[in-house]
Amino acid sequence: GAHRDLLSFPTRRSSDLPVLRRLPEVVVNRIAAGEVIERPAAVVRELVENALDAGASRIDVTLRDGGCSLLQVVDNGRGMTADELTLAVERHATSKLPDDDLVNIRSLGFRGEALPSIGAVSRMTITSRARGSDAAWALQVEGGKQLPIAPAALPEGTRIEVRDLFFATPARLKFLKTPRTESEHVRDVLERLAMAHPGVAFS
C-alpha cells in the first residue's frame, strides 16, 4: 500500500523546482543582522567594542527612545581614511586579522559583520577622521543601500549615528521592549565594558 501511495504522487517537472541562486547582498546582511543585532544594546556593544579596538581613550554614547530612534557612539580612536570607511561597511572586511590567524586574536571583534549588519536594518551614518589626517569623511547606509562618501568635519576619531533601528525589518520592532527597558539594557552593556576597561572614559 505504501508503495502504491508513493507511486500515486504527482511528479514534479524540473521547471517547477526552485532555482539555486545567490542571495542579494542586502538580503544576506539582513539575515546576518538577525544573528548580530537583537536590540539597541547589541548595537552599542558592537560599536563600543570597535571603538575600544581602535584605541579610543574616550567613548560617548547618546540614546533617544532607548536607542530605537537614535543611537550615537563617538570615540577618539585612530579613525579611518576614506578608503577604509568604504571598506568597513562591506561584509567580512576587518583590520583585526592582519595575518589571517584565528588562534592569536587580540581584539574584541574580528568577523567584519557588525557595521554591514547594522547598516542593513537602520539609517546609519559613519563619520571618521584618521589620526594624522587633515580630512574627515562621512558615509551613509540606509537599509543596506550605500550612498556616495562625502567630505565632513570631525576631530580625529569616529562618530557613528544609527537612526530608525529595524525600520527595514519591521517584524523585529515587535520584539523590542519599552524605551526605558531598552535603555537599561544599554546601561548594563556599557557598565560591563567600562569596568573591563578602567583606562577609558565613558559617558
Side-chain angles (χ1 to χ4, degrees), residues 84-174:
E84 289 170 334
L85 195 54
T86 303
L87 191 58
V89 295
E90 295 185 13
R91 281 189 87 215
H92 308 313
T94 181
S95 62
K96 301 168 188 178
L97 284 177
D99 51 7
D100 298 334
D101 185 354
L102 288 172
V103 176
N104 296 308
I105 295 171
R106 302 182 185 277
S107 59
L108 294 166
F110 62 91
R111 296 176 302 157
E113 292 270 20
L115 290 180
S117 294
I118 296 167
V121 294
S122 71
R123 306 181 205 277
M124 179 176 70
T125 303
I126 309 176
T127 308
S128 195
R129 179 175 166 184
R131 193 167 289 166
S133 172
D134 58 358
W137 298 91
L139 180 62
Q140 290 181 273
V141 182
E142 295 203 1
K145 297 177 181 176
Q146 184 176 323
L147 302 180
I149 194 167
L154 189 77
E156 290 182 353
T158 301
R159 179 181 67 225
I160 301 183
E161 293 179 348
V162 177
R163 297 179 182 273
D164 304 327
L165 185 62
F166 298 135
F167 90 95
T169 50
R172 294 198 66 84
L173 286 171
K174 295 187 298 183

